[in-house]
Amino acid sequence: DRNRFEGGAPPGMTYEEVEERSRLGRFIPRSSLPGNREELILGANEMNAPDEIIEQLAELPADETFRTVNEIWAALGHAVEERRT
């Protein structure tokens, strides 16, 4: 179906969002997942994440645990792929 991957992006996300989520994911070490805001920030610092990544992670709710980069991305208010049923 023609609309499945518009511009290489999954349904529900733009190509730019896919790129940004991927960039965020590069600074989240697997050892930090599952993790809360503080654990994710510590992991990102160990990966020498740029300030804007640390600032994004600092916006996460303190009392939540995140299992995946996708959960972190969604908690930051970004679009995620639409699930196919």
Side-chain angles (χ1 to χ4, degrees):
D1 91 72
R2 192 170 78 64
N3 294 327
R4 196 162 143 214
F5 289 104
E6 292 175 21
M13 290 181 75
T14 66
Y15 180 74
E16 290 75 24
E17 288 169 326
V18 171
E19 287 294 301
E20 283 185 46
R21 183 182 63 181
S22 176
R23 183 167 183 262
L24 174 67
R26 285 197 289 275
F27 297 106
I28 308 290
R30 286 190 188 278
S31 60
S32 294
L33 295 171
N36 63 24
R37 180 178 68 193
E38 295 309 313
E39 292 164 329
L40 295 170
I41 290 171
L42 282 172
N45 278 321
E46 288 171 14
M47 302 289 284
N48 297 312
D51 290 344
E52 82 247 15
I53 297 287
I54 302 297
E55 289 165 11
Q56 283 183 42
L57 294 174
E59 294 173 18
L60 291 169
D63 57 350
E64 267 184 63
T65 299
F66 301 93
R67 295 185 312 262
T68 66
V69 171
N70 215 34
E71 286 182 2
I72 296 165
W73 183 250
L76 291 170
H78 298 292
V80 296
E81 293 102 327
E82 293 172 0
R83 294 252 183 257
R84 285 189 200 76
T85 52

